Amino acid sequence: MDLVTPGFGLIFWTTLTFLLLVFILKKFAWGPILSAVKEREESIDNALKSAEKAREDMKNLQADNEKILAEARAERDAMLKEGRELRNQTIQGAKDVAKAEADKIMASAQEQIELQKKAAMTELKNHVAALSIDMAEKILRRELSDAKRQEALINEMLEEIK
Amino acid sequence: MHRNIFFSLLLLLPFGFLRAQDVEIEYSADDTAHNSNDLHEDEDINAVIMHHVSDSHDWHVLDWSGKPVGISLPVILFTNEGLITFSSGRFHHDDAGKEVVEVKGQRFVKYHEKIYLANAQPNANGVYLDFDEDHHPTNAKPVDISITKNVASLFVTALLMLIIILPAASFYKKNGSQTAPKGMASFLEPLIVFVRDEIALVNIGHKHYGRFVPYLLSLFFFIWIANMLGLIPFVPGGANLSGNIAFTMVLAVLTLIIVNINGKKDYWAHIFWMPGVPIPVRILLAPIELVSVFAKPFALMIRLFANMTAGHIVILSLISLIFVLDSIWVSPAAIILTLFIFVIKVLVALLQAYIFALLTALFIGQAVEEHEHH
């Protein structure tokens, strides 16, 4: 049958045309297109990779930041705690010192008061003694000016002594 | 009587002014039997369909007022006297061996789209040929490398490929690789990447696929465009190029050659001395494997040929229903059915190109594969 008998003319022209076409297209089309596509794919690949890397870096950086932040926070807390302790300590110390001082002052004031009291008492005693002597002297003088009275007094005194 | 070539129908039917009865016989398969009006329609329509799916020396477009209208193509012949060329128009659309063309003292007639050296005198039917009992001409045939309809269609295919693909390539040359593709390049790039990744890379493997990609790309686009051109029912389409066995044979033979010159040691070992099986089985397998070397491209050849030719025949048959049933009222159904087949054919055009390229890649992959096992 004619339909399944290949004709020589078409075989000849198809071979010639197709091989020529393959040659031309390979040289002027497929080569440049394929290399351009490959190049672009590679550059996209690289871009994606570097983006991935940047993201990784960013993540690391963020983790670092977090760490630093946590450290800073811990340090701050520690400092605050230390400060609080120091303050308390200082206050306590000051209180202690003040108390001691106050006690000392009180003690010395008490001592002073005691001394003053004693001195005052002594002075008062002396004064009273002097006054009584004075008074006694005056009274004596008056009593002794009158003979009767002198006698009476002497008698009284003698009575007392007895 | 009402039959005609497919083209005139498809062109004229939509306009509605063609009455089927007006159409004259343009082509008759057998000059002696088919001259009377009482011939069988089936046979005639058969002849019309066969004429359409076969090659011819002039590019018939339509019939107008009973006269064929078409493009004459150059006839190129190798004879004992050397190269002879003339226009196919000089046969005056005769295909029955009745019109003699005399060039450089040699006389030629065309009979069933084959060119023969003519007898000095016509026989009783006016045919310048001698026939054997089977009604086959016995005259000598010069080597015919004419630019037939299919060859012209082949050139159109090649030209279209260059027109489509070269500008896309120049886009990359102009814009470098870092610009997003535009225009034709953006159309072609996904296809190119598909052929490279899904046809070549998958089947041939990473190591060898690169050097086969240009061939597979050419093959894929060549078959696709040839198929699509065959679907266009008028010039520059309408030829049944990719449904011609010569065309598919050339591509299949190229696949055969490429596969076998790239065959590695393992490939040949698997053909002639199958590893891993007992020696008697190896002896048994060798001829079978040897046949498969040729059977694979043979199947490629038949698959493309049969697919495209069958599609053309189905479309023509559906259109011919109008003339077989002798009624213009059949045309809506016939046209809807034809449209349906047409749409399928558009898919098949791409599918067959894909399958041909895919199987070629698969065979190449089997040839270059290096086995680690056994």
Side-chain angles (χ1 to χ4, degrees):
Chain A
M1 211 175 144
D2 272 359
L3 205 57
V4 287
T5 316
F8 175 76
L10 190 56
I11 293 177
F12 170 76
W13 288 113
T14 305
T15 312
L16 191 72
T17 309
F18 184 59
L19 290 181
L20 212 62
L21 202 59
V22 172
F23 176 75
I24 291 171
L25 288 177
K26 186 178 176 176
K27 198 159 165 49
F28 298 108
W30 303 136
I33 292 175
L34 285 169
S35 65
V37 170
K38 197 172 181 95
E39 213 173 289
R40 171 139 42 82
E41 275 170 349
E42 268 163 12
S43 83
I44 289 171
D45 216 38
N46 286 341
L48 284 176
K49 267 188 195 134
S50 65
E52 185 61 34
K53 199 167 163 283
R55 197 158 39 224
E56 201 70 23
D57 285 355
M58 195 66 124
K59 221 153 93 184
N60 287 345
L61 213 62
Q62 222 150 23
D64 279 359
N65 280 352
E66 218 121 292
K67 219 171 96 193
I68 290 168
L69 214 62
E71 267 170 23
R73 209 171 286 138
E75 205 168 329
R76 190 197 62 188
D77 285 352
M79 274 164 83
L80 279 176
K81 202 172 151 202
E82 211 175 312
R84 208 160 29 233
E85 266 165 26
L86 198 64
R87 192 191 62 190
N88 288 350
Q89 232 169 8
T90 313
I91 291 170
Q92 201 57 48
K95 262 189 196 158
D96 288 353
V97 170
K99 198 163 179 270
E101 196 69 23
D103 285 354
K104 226 161 88 184
I105 290 169
M106 286 285 272
S108 90
Q110 220 113 37
E111 223 170 293
Q112 206 82 20
I113 289 166
E114 210 61 38
L115 278 176
Q116 296 283 338
K117 205 168 97 185
K118 273 183 188 154
M121 287 284 259
T122 317
E123 210 182 294
L124 200 63
K125 256 184 209 165
N126 290 346
H127 206 59
V128 166
L131 270 176
S132 20
I133 291 170
D134 222 11
M135 250 161 39
E137 201 183 79
K138 275 174 185 163
I139 292 166
L140 277 177
R141 244 175 237 151
R142 256 233 219 128
E143 294 285 319
L144 290 177
S145 54
D146 183 355
K148 260 180 122 184
R149 278 190 194 178
Q150 262 181 359
E151 218 175 313
L153 187 61
I154 290 162
N155 285 340
E156 200 179 314
M157 279 183 176
L158 281 172
E159 257 334 279
E160 267 174 31
I161 292 163
K162 269 195 268 182
Chain B
M1 286 298 104
H2 29 258
R3 23 312 42 209
N4 198 2
I5 287 296
F6 169 63
F7 299 130
S8 46
L9 304 175
L10 207 83
L11 280 173
L12 299 179
L13 269 178
F15 301 110
F17 60 76
L18 181 83
R19 283 194 300 141
Q21 281 79 358
D22 291 340
V23 184
E24 302 256 335
I25 306 166
E26 188 269 324
Y27 180 87
S28 90
D30 193 301
D31 53 291
T32 50
H34 288 194
N35 277 340
S36 58
N37 276 356
D38 57 358
L39 48 83
H40 299 289
E41 266 179 13
D42 297 355
E43 272 178 43
D44 243 20
I45 288 195
N46 199 14
V48 167
I49 291 172
M50 286 334 252
H51 173 84
H52 171 71
V53 297
S54 310
D55 207 354
S56 68
H57 280 82
D58 41 21
W59 204 329
H60 182 253
V61 180
L62 54 84
D63 286 322
W64 194 263
S65 310
K67 285 202 176 63
V69 178
I71 299 166
S72 296
L73 297 165
V75 174
I76 305 170
L77 301 170
F78 269 119
T79 63
N80 298 334
E81 313 289 316
L83 194 71
I84 286 180
T85 59
F86 57 90
S87 164
S88 70
R90 289 180 65 180
F91 285 116
H92 298 290
H93 302 288
D94 168 63
D95 196 33
K98 291 176 182 173
E99 185 78 33
V100 177
V101 174
E102 200 171 329
V103 182
K104 289 187 190 165
Q106 295 197 85
R107 304 167 76 245
F108 304 100
V109 288
K110 188 155 75 81
Y111 180 79
H112 289 191
E113 293 303 341
K114 286 195 180 63
I115 290 170
Y116 298 89
L117 289 169
N119 289 341
Q121 295 298 322
N123 62 14
N125 296 315
V127 178
Y128 292 81
L129 290 166
D130 295 322
F131 293 96
D132 59 16
E133 307 91 71
D134 302 326
H135 205 78
H136 290 135
T138 53
N139 291 49
K141 282 191 289 184
V143 177
D144 185 358
I145 54 164
S146 303
I147 308 302
T148 58
K149 187 167 82 171
N150 277 340
V151 175
S153 174
L154 173 77
F155 292 162
V156 173
T157 304
L159 203 67
L160 262 179
M161 274 181 83
L162 295 179
I163 288 171
I164 291 169
I165 295 162
L166 288 181
S170 73
F171 174 88
Y172 294 95
K173 275 194 203 120
K174 211 186 297 164
N175 297 297
S177 66
Q178 302 305 315
T179 318
K182 278 195 188 67
M184 205 46 94
S186 72
F187 168 71
L188 283 180
E189 198 179 301
L191 292 168
I192 291 169
V193 171
F194 176 79
V195 171
R196 190 193 61 182
D197 293 349
E198 304 301 322
I199 293 179
L201 181 59
V202 169
N203 291 300
I204 302 176
H206 225 281
K207 202 168 153 196
H208 299 287
Y209 85 104
R211 66 199 152 105
F212 298 107
V213 172
Y215 179 75
L216 291 171
L217 280 168
S218 308
L219 188 66
F220 175 76
F221 282 103
F222 190 52
I223 297 175
W224 190 23
I225 293 173
N227 288 347
M228 292 302 281
L229 264 183
L231 293 181
I232 300 171
F234 33 78
V235 181
N240 187 24
L241 172 63
S242 54
N244 190 295
I245 195 113
F247 176 87
T248 64
M249 189 181 91
V250 168
L251 299 182
V253 166
L254 287 175
T255 294
L256 177 75
I257 293 168
I258 288 172
V259 166
N260 287 292
I261 61 171
N262 285 294
K264 293 270 188 292
K265 211 179 87 201
D266 277 339
Y267 170 74
W268 294 112
H270 273 75
I271 291 170
F272 292 115
W273 208 237
M274 180 69 81
V277 297
I279 284 172
V281 180
R282 292 185 185 194
I283 293 166
L284 197 68
L285 276 177
I288 297 172
E289 288 289 333
L290 195 61
V291 168
S292 88
V293 169
F294 296 97
K296 286 179 205 164
F298 187 79
L300 278 184
M301 169 178 87
I302 297 295
R303 183 180 297 111
L304 183 57
F305 158 74
N307 265 288
M308 299 325 289
T309 301
H312 280 236
I313 290 175
V314 169
I315 288 175
L316 289 164
S317 305
L318 288 170
I319 280 293
S320 302
L321 273 181
I322 301 166
F323 303 96
V324 173
L325 299 175
D326 201 4
S327 163
I328 193 94
W329 303 109
V330 184
S331 57
I335 286 172
I336 285 168
L337 282 171
T338 307
L339 182 66
F340 175 67
I341 298 294
F342 239 109
V343 173
I344 289 177
K345 285 275 286 171
V346 171
L347 180 70
V348 168
L350 179 61
L351 194 67
Q352 287 303 321
Y354 167 67
I355 289 173
F356 204 110
L358 180 79
L359 289 176
T360 297
L362 190 73
F363 299 153
I364 293 171
Q366 287 169 350
V368 298
E369 191 180 13
E370 275 147 295
H371 300 268
E372 271 87 44
H373 50 279
H374 300 312

